[in-house]
């Protein structure tokens, strides 16, 4: 879990600062990218050189240093981390954090950060038990600050009790658990399988001509990418498009509706299927083996038959119907009315409906205005980019799979 994580380590001024050096080694062994701020008091216990040697990075010490600020302003320093770790967190640092005091680089970075902060307190037992420190601790807990330790035992000052810095390996484990939990929270679809169809289909008339439509595939690709970003193992079955394969998605490229259906069936089982493809309604009953010639006579009659309906087929699978089947309805009039009818006709659970009349610019464009139609009712979503619509839909899908409602 720690591999490639970015941690900003703030080293406070306590005798336990020397243990921060061991912590740096243990975190680096696990692939953590570390930057460190050494407070002035911390610098009384360990040297910037030892911190720099172990982190392999410049050590930041001074809020008003031209070189520090020119290289990496305190705001950037506080933001370019996945976790801010304060080790040791002295009574003074805790008090500053609790009261929003920013009087040096460390406390300014702690006030400026928008990232989770974990403290490992270390101090004399009386300082730890002092009502002021305990009050500050409650404030910090209320602010969502995470904590590991302190432990209990012999203290460097000769007294015995609470206030010992947590064992270095316990701090490593706490950081590991934090990233583990963050990953689960950020990836609510981990362990789920998602199937998405996108793009148009091409139905051959003869070896050089085909029936097609104007679908760009953008919305479907964005949905596949958003589902994958939430942790779903995602298969995108795509008709011909000019788009690159989305990140972290298995993309299966097909041409015709029948190929799309076969690829979808091969991709089952899935927890959710989102049919965004603009599947051609008809194909040639018999496509010509050779290019049809003009021959100067009457134009050829195109004898069409209906294509399989992929959305309806997936919705009616007996054994392996996905728990949630979502269709799209691109309409040019009576958008909601048609969407409701489609919900019944196709047997799917949700219809994402949008108005694609030419004036909207939605077809092929980057934005979309949609309505989520289910048997529970209609949600009107505000106009948004196709990427935002995709992210919102993916989150909605994750919520539904956790607690099916509508
Ligand atoms: O019937 P209509 O094409 O308007 O329905 C649109 C919805 O049905 C979309 O979700 C589309 O992906 C799906 N569909 C399908 N197979 C078809 C036709 C439409 O999956 N042959």
């Amino acid at each position: 879990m720690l591999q490639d994580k970015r941690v900003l380590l703030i080293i406070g001024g306590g005798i336990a600062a020397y243990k921060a050096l061991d912590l740096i080694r243990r975190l680096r062994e696990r692939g953590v990218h570390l930057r460190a701020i050494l407070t002035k008091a911390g610098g009384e216990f360990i040297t910037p050189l030892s911190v720099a040697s172990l982190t392999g990075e410049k050590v930041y010490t001074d809020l008003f240093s031209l070189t520090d600020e020119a290289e990496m302003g305190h705001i950037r320093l506080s933001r370019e981390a996945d976790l801010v770790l304060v080790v040791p967190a002295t009574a003074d640092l805790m008090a500053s954090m609790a009261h929003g005091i920013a009087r040096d680089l460390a406390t300014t970075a702690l006030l400026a950060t928008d990232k989770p902060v974990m403290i490992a307190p270390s101090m004399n037992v009386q300082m730890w038990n002092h009502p002021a420190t305990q009050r500050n601790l409650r404030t910090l807990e209320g602010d969502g600050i995470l904590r590991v330790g302190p432990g209990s035992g012999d203290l460097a000052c000769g007294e015995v009790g609470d206030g010992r810095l947590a064992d270095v390996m316990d701090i490593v484990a706490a950081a590991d658990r934090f990233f583990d939990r963050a990953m689960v929270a950020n990836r609510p679809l981990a362990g789920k399988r998602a199937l998405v169809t996108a793009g148009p289909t091409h139905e051959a008339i003869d070896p050089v001509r085909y029936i097609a439509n104007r679908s760009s595939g953008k919305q479907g690709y964005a949905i596949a990418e958003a589902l994958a970003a939430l942790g779903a193992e995602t298969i995108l079955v795509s008709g011909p498009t000019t788009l690159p394969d989305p990140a972290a998605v298995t993309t299966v490229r097909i041409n015709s509706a029948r190929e799309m259906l076969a690829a979808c069936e091969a991709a089952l089982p899935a927890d959710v299927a989102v049919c965004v493809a603009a599947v051609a309604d008809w194909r040639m009953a018999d496509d010509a083996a050779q290019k049809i010639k003009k021959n100067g006579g009457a134009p050829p009659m195109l004898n069409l038959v209906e294509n399989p309906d992929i959305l309806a087929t997936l919705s009616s699978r007996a054994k392996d119907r996905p728990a949630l089947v979502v269709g799209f309805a691109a309409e040019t009039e009576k958008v909601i009315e048609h969407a409701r009818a489609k919900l019944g006709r196709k047997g799917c659970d949700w219809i994402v409906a949008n108005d694609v009349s030419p004036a909207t610019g939605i077809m092929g464009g980057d934005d979309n205005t949609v309505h989520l139609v289910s048997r529970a009712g209609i949600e009107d979503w505000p106009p948004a980019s196709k990427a935002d619509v995709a992210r919102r839909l993916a989150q909605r899908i994750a919520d539904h799979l956790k607690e099916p409602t509508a």
Side-chain angles (χ1 to χ4, degrees), residues 195 197 261 264-265 268 270-276 308-328 341-351 375:
L195 169 63
T197 70
L261 177 60
C264 286
E265 290 182 323
L268 293 176
D271 298 281
V272 56
V274 188
C275 295
V276 197
D309 191 311
I310 297 158
L311 175 60
T313 307
L314 294 176
S315 298
S316 65
R317 300 273 302 191
K319 274 206 302 284
D320 52 8
R321 181 193 194 275
L324 181 64
V325 182
V326 184
F328 267 67
K342 204 160 289 184
L343 197 64
R345 204 166 60 242
K346 307 260 187 177
C348 58
D349 304 298
W350 298 350
I351 287 279
R375 288 180 183 81

Side-chain angles (χ1 to χ4, degrees), residues 3 7 9 12 16 35 56 70 86 93 96 123 131 141 149 190 216 301 304 341 346 356 365 373 380 400:
Q3 183 68 42
V7 170
L9 178 66
R35 281 199 183 120
V86 188
L93 267 177
S96 298
M123 65 198 73
E141 282 173 351
S216 66
M301 292 293 292
L304 301 178
K346 307 260 187 177
V356 292
V373 181
D380 298 319
H400 177 87

Side-chain angles (χ1 to χ4, degrees), residues 238-253:
S238 171
T241 69
T242 56
L243 303 173
D245 292 0
V249 168
T250 305
T251 305
V252 181
R253 300 224 179 226

Side-chain angles (χ1 to χ4, degrees), residues 211-227:
I211 301 169
N213 61 64
R214 293 184 196 283
S215 168
S216 66
K218 281 182 190 169
Q219 184 65 82
Y221 277 51
I223 289 169
E225 196 162 351
L227 289 166

